[in-house]
Amino acid sequence: MTEKSLYERLGGVFAIAAVVDHFSDAVVKNTIVGQESKNPQLREWHTKNLGRLPGLKFMRTLWVCDVSGGPFQFTATKPGTTPLGLEEAHRDLRISPEEFDEVAAELGRTLDFFKVPKREKDEVLAAFAAHKDEVTAGYRGR
């Protein structure tokens, strides 16, 4: 008998969408990376571009479904040099490694809120961490 995919173990698209919804709202409110961030690009995005948040939640949900082995395919809106194109989507935000780590911590808190088991939480956080260099590429390019 084959083991269930991470997608299945997370509960599928509806459970993933609920986590992404909560996580995305928490990032907006986070004092380090959200509306009060010292990073002017992040602060502006989280105050002046919130009309894009529903679409971002959708894209994040697709991304998690895709990387966790689900039946949905994520396609970058700004293709980059990597298959997921995350460096181009984040370049203008100039996200520092420390800011990335805070977003990862927020994701961890969200997974705890939903009582995601440790094994699945660790797998989700590892999938997130695997893209740190891409997401922080704009910071390194300052």
Side-chain angles (χ1 to χ4, degrees):
M1 187 167 168
T2 56
E3 183 179 13
K4 289 183 176 182
S5 67
L6 176 58
Y7 172 83
E8 293 169 306
R9 289 182 282 126
L10 290 171
V13 67
F14 295 104
I16 291 169
V19 169
V20 168
D21 182 60
H22 184 277
F23 161 74
S24 298
D25 291 344
V27 169
V28 169
K29 296 173 188 163
N30 184 292
T31 57
I32 296 170
V33 296
Q35 293 176 326
E36 298 175 17
S37 177
K38 291 179 183 173
N39 175 329
Q41 290 81 10
L42 285 175
R43 187 174 57 247
E44 180 175 339
W45 200 101
H46 288 112
T47 55
K48 295 183 181 173
N49 292 314
L50 290 181
R52 295 189 65 193
L53 190 57
L56 180 58
K57 289 178 180 183
F58 174 75
M59 295 300 290
R60 286 175 174 164
T61 299
L62 282 178
W63 186 85
V64 175
C65 288
D66 189 352
V67 301
S68 65
F72 302 97
Q73 183 177 357
F74 172 86
T75 303
T77 56
K78 293 181 177 181
T81 58
T82 62
L84 296 177
L86 298 179
E87 74 279 12
E88 294 309 320
H90 295 88
R91 186 175 306 282
D92 292 343
L93 297 175
R94 297 185 178 160
I95 297 169
S96 72
E98 295 78 19
E99 290 163 340
F100 180 93
D101 292 344
E102 179 58 27
V103 173
E106 196 65 70
L107 178 56
R109 289 188 287 272
T110 296
L111 295 168
D112 288 342
F113 176 83
F114 283 95
K115 297 177 176 44
V116 172
K118 182 179 180 350
R119 177 182 174 201
E120 286 74 17
K121 176 184 174 183
D122 289 348
E123 289 180 48
V124 170
L125 291 174
F128 186 84
H131 299 282
K132 185 172 184 173
D133 286 345
E134 295 165 57
V135 172
T136 60
Y139 179 79
R140 293 191 315 272
R142 277 188 196 174

